[in-house]
Amino acid sequence: MNYKNFPMVPRVIFGRGSFNQLNEIIAPMRLNMNAPFIYLIDDVFKSDSWLTSRISLSYDDRIIYISTEEEPKTIQVDNLVEEIILSVKERPSGIIGIGGGSILDLAKAVSIMLTNEGETHSYQGWDLVKNPALYHVGIPTISGTGAEVSRTTVLTGPKKKLGINSDYTPFDQVILDPELTKNVPKDQWFFTGMDCFIHSVESLQGSYLNAFSKSYGDMAYNLCKEVFLENTLSITEAQDKLMMASWHGGMSIAYSQVGVAHAMSYGLSYVLGTKHGIGNCIVFDFLEEFYPEGVRLFKIMKEKHNIELPQGICAHLSEEDLDTMVSISWAMEPLWENALGNNWKKKISPKQLRTMYLKM
């Protein structure tokens, strides 16, 4: 058997207030005064001096604020790369992503596309990247996606929603500062946290499961149960634990895969633009057949935190949109194989998938 040799994030710092060390961490990586650092930052922080005042810009360093109203797109990456190339004297020293999963995915993709030719959509898939990415740093401001640790980006292209999965995708440096998550709205906190919970459920029940994946998956699963089901944690303890759950959840799928919820949520996102976290929740709510215990706990968490999910979002879709949704999901073969085994096509059909979507 040929085992995969996966890269991991080589450097990570964890701690409340560790964001203050950003400048000293990246300073040795500056190539020269004409090679700036480019900061990609969620535009919710545009007027938040509590965060932005701690970023020290030197020489030609610049901040690009990015809206996360929509999921990241390959054309968005192409546009950012062009904007950066046209605005700098030399290739940047590095890309620093500060935000949630969308911003972290964009930072990873931009750092790859600044060193690889062509359009971003041509790299959607597994191990298509030829050249090492630019130095890139990930700083999550919300916990759950696992984007800070994964070897993929989640991007919507002209024909599919699929990540750039490569050995060059993981960040060179991650800063995990739980304080940065303090102003996350409750619904977003829940949906993104559930992304982590669903990661771990799908990994732990998958056919790809192994001791490596299980050790991380168990940790993420149990931390999520603490955060979302117990009443004994302080706010700071919950922030710390959920940030580590996100890390472990991302690691749990590094050597395995996700499953049915993620495969189906890709279809929702491509056709309806549904954001990743809430999309996973909408789908997972109907997956008792596949993940009975996980869905049972999810429903308890949902009720405990007074979360209401959108209803009937697929009810009025055209036949063409439904067909597209099914085909996008059906194409996620590694996810279905992890969830249902090698003969997964005998256990579920496009027709069944369509029926499941119509319930949502």
Side-chain angles (χ1 to χ4, degrees):
M1 184 172 180
N2 189 26
Y3 292 101
K4 294 176 183 176
N5 189 14
F6 278 120
M8 294 187 188
V9 175
R11 292 179 178 272
V12 57
I13 183 170
F14 173 88
R16 307 185 73 81
S18 59
F19 180 68
N20 293 330
Q21 295 175 231
L22 172 62
N23 297 323
E24 64 184 81
I25 288 170
I26 65 172
M29 305 307 299
R30 187 181 295 278
L31 300 175
N32 59 63
M33 62 187 294
N34 292 321
F37 284 107
I38 308 295
Y39 295 79
L40 305 182
I41 303 181
D42 190 322
D43 69 1
V44 299
F45 296 108
K46 201 167 188 176
S47 58
D48 189 350
S49 61
W50 173 79
L51 184 144
T52 55
S53 65
R54 290 186 278 167
I55 297 171
S56 179
L57 300 180
S58 303
Y59 307 111
D60 292 328
D61 293 353
R62 62 177 302 213
I63 291 173
I64 302 176
Y65 290 104
I66 298 172
S67 169
T68 55
E69 284 298 309
E70 296 184 349
E71 292 281 274
K73 293 181 170 57
T74 56
I75 187 65
Q76 186 179 13
V77 176
D78 292 334
N79 290 339
L80 282 167
V81 169
E82 183 178 13
E83 179 183 348
I84 291 167
I85 289 172
L86 292 175
S87 68
V88 299
K89 297 173 185 175
E90 294 185 17
R91 179 182 285 179
S93 293
I95 304 295
I96 297 155
I98 304 175
S102 293
I103 297 296
L104 299 184
D105 282 342
L106 283 171
K108 289 189 283 189
V110 167
S111 69
I112 286 170
M113 294 311 301
L114 280 166
T115 59
N116 288 271
E117 295 181 352
E119 296 179 309
T120 304
H121 68 81
S122 63
Y123 293 93
Q124 285 182 284
W126 281 266
D127 301 309
L128 301 174
V129 179
K130 303 302 181 189
N131 301 318
L134 219 59
Y135 175 75
H136 50 307
V137 179
I139 305 172
T141 60
I142 186 170
S143 299
T145 67
E148 65 274 15
V149 70
S150 75
R151 76 185 293 272
T152 188
T153 68
V154 181
L155 298 171
T156 301
K159 295 183 179 179
K160 56 193 172 186
K161 180 172 181 180
L162 186 62
I164 300 174
N165 295 267
S166 83
D167 284 354
Y168 301 123
T169 306
F171 286 109
D172 298 295
Q173 171 79 58
V174 169
I175 297 175
L176 299 176
D177 183 346
E179 279 186 354
L180 300 184
T181 68
K182 68 177 186 177
N183 294 325
V184 175
K186 183 178 180 182
D187 278 11
Q188 196 175 356
W189 165 80
F190 182 85
F191 296 141
T192 309
M194 286 301 99
D195 188 15
C196 176
F197 178 70
I198 294 166
H199 274 162
S200 58
V201 170
E202 290 177 318
S203 175
L204 290 169
Q205 289 193 224
S207 65
Y208 292 179
L209 186 66
N210 51 68
F212 184 101
S213 306
K214 189 175 187 306
S215 63
Y216 286 107
D218 281 339
M219 183 66 72
Y221 184 81
N222 289 324
L223 284 168
C224 283
K225 286 202 298 183
E226 278 189 69
V227 171
F228 291 100
L229 291 176
E230 293 185 11
N231 299 313
T232 56
L233 298 181
S234 68
I235 291 174
T236 56
E237 285 175 325
Q239 290 170 346
D240 291 0
K241 285 177 180 286
L242 189 55
M243 186 158 272
M244 289 317 302
S246 180
W247 183 269
H248 284 83
M251 285 299 300
S252 75
I253 58 173
Y255 218 67
S256 61
Q257 249 311 343
V258 283
V260 179
H262 277 74
M264 293 188 69
S265 75
Y266 283 160
L268 287 182
S269 177
Y270 187 85
V271 174
L272 296 175
T274 310
K275 299 197 81 171
H276 187 68
I278 191 171
N280 282 334
C281 289
I282 291 169
V283 173
F284 198 65
D285 211 28
F286 290 89
L287 297 186
E288 292 99 335
E289 175 187 352
F290 302 97
Y291 308 108
E293 177 61 13
V295 174
R296 183 186 73 82
L297 287 176
F298 170 76
K299 289 180 183 293
I300 293 171
M301 294 172 183
K302 188 177 63 167
E303 184 175 350
K304 177 179 174 62
H305 296 284
N306 299 311
I307 300 296
E308 290 189 16
L309 295 174
Q311 304 291 319
I313 62 171
C314 298
H316 304 293
L317 287 177
S318 67
E319 294 297 310
E320 183 181 358
D321 280 344
L322 272 171
D323 288 343
T324 300
M325 194 176 280
V326 169
S327 66
I328 291 289
S329 175
W330 190 256
M332 299 289 155
E333 293 198 16
L335 283 63
W336 290 108
E337 187 174 285
N338 180 53
L340 303 176
N342 289 333
N343 61 342
W344 64 272
K345 290 183 180 178
K346 294 180 180 179
K347 297 181 180 180
I348 192 166
S349 67
K351 185 177 179 181
Q352 286 171 284
L353 203 49
R354 185 188 188 92
T355 301
M356 290 164 65
Y357 274 128
L358 287 172
K359 293 178 182 177
M360 297 171 189

